[in-house]
């Protein structure tokens, strides 16, 4: 049985408000997802900046530690302190 164009039009008019509401819901979800993606992208950029800063700090600390160790290794060993024969009790 074939539906008449009038019957199809009537059916479309009945279903149209529901379809429009569904489209509005989809649009709202899509907009929420776009906002979430935008916020997450901003957070990723902030974290990348923090990561670069931490890497720079780590490199600075490693260089400083290596220089300190080199200076300590180049120093002559400390002279032993003379011991006295007395002991305190």
């Amino acid at each position: 049985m074939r539906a008449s164009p009038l019957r199809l039009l009537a059916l479309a008019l009945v279903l149209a408000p529901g379809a429009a509401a569904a489209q509005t819901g989809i649009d709202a979800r899509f907009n929420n997802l776009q906002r979430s993606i935008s916020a997450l992208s901003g957070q990723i950029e902030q974290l990348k900046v923090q990561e670069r800063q931490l890497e720079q700090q780590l490199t600075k600390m490693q260089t400083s530690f290596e220089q300190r160790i080199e200076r300590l290794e180049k120093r002559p060993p400390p002279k032993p302190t003379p011991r006295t024969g007395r002991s305190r009790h």
Side-chain angles (χ1 to χ4, degrees), residues 7-55:
R7 191 176 270 177
L8 288 175
L9 180 61
L11 183 62
L13 289 175
V14 169
L15 296 177
Q23 183 63 39
T24 301
I26 290 171
D27 289 342
R29 287 174 48 193
F30 181 76
N31 289 335
N32 285 338
L33 287 171
Q34 281 185 318
R35 280 193 295 275
S36 294
I37 289 170
S38 180
L40 290 171
S41 295
Q43 288 178 357
I44 288 170
E45 290 305 313
Q46 289 175 346
L47 290 171
K48 284 180 180 180
V49 169
Q50 278 183 322
E51 179 187 24
R52 279 192 294 274
Q53 291 172 344
L54 289 171
E55 285 175 350

Side-chain angles (χ1 to χ4, degrees), residues 51-63:
E51 179 187 24
R52 279 192 294 274
Q53 291 172 344
L54 289 171
E55 285 175 350
Q56 289 171 350
Q57 287 176 359
L58 179 61
T59 301
K60 242 180 177 177
M61 287 174 55
Q62 286 174 332
T63 302

Side-chain angles (χ1 to χ4, degrees), residues 76-84:
K79 295 180 181 177
T81 56
R83 295 187 180 197
T84 59

